[in-house]
């Protein structure tokens, strides 16, 4: 765990690196996040594709509940993502 000052300095260095050498940061840092994001997108698409089948076999109430849950999860994922 970094102290407040160390965390502030680390963030400052990272911000400087992102602005001065974005290619290095792209090569170094975002691979695991990209894999996680891709897996989340694929899972979300598959779940959304299952809603019509759920409506057909489970009824409209089950489909509506699933749709609301997926929408809420999408909103939370977008809010948590760093832009």
């Amino acid at each position: 765990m970094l102290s407040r000052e160390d965390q502030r300095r680390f963030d400052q260095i990272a911000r400087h690196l992102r602005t001065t050498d974005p290619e290095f940061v792209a090569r170094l840092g975002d691979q695991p996040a990209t894999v996680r994001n891709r897996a989340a997108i694929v899972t979300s698409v598959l779940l959304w594709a299952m809603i019509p089948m759920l409506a057909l076999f489970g009824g409209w109430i089950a489909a509506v509940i699933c749709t609301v849950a997926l929408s809420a999860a999408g909103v939370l994922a977008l809010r948590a993502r760093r832009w």
Side-chain angles (χ1 to χ4, degrees), residues 47-48 51-52 54-55 60-74:
L47 288 172
W48 276 103
I51 289 176
L54 186 61
W60 286 104
I61 294 175
V64 168
I65 291 171
C66 187
T67 304
V68 169
L70 281 172
S71 297

Side-chain angles (χ1 to χ4, degrees), residues 6-78:
D6 290 339
Q7 183 66 44
R8 188 191 63 75
R9 180 67 181 140
F10 177 77
D11 291 339
Q12 185 181 23
I13 291 169
R15 194 175 321 111
H16 176 72
L17 240 171
R18 268 190 232 105
T19 58
T20 59
D21 196 0
E23 291 176 13
F24 173 74
V25 174
R27 280 195 317 262
L28 186 66
D30 290 337
Q31 265 186 340
T34 303
V35 171
R36 275 194 313 270
N37 290 344
R38 192 172 297 141
I41 290 169
V42 168
T43 303
S44 178
V45 168
L46 289 174
L47 288 172
W48 276 103
M50 287 176 47
I51 289 176
M53 295 300 290
L54 186 61
L56 183 65
F57 294 113
W60 286 104
I61 294 175
V64 168
I65 291 171
C66 187
T67 304
V68 169
L70 281 172
S71 297
V75 168
L76 290 175
L78 286 175

Side-chain angles (χ1 to χ4, degrees), residues 2-3 39 77:
L2 295 175
S3 70

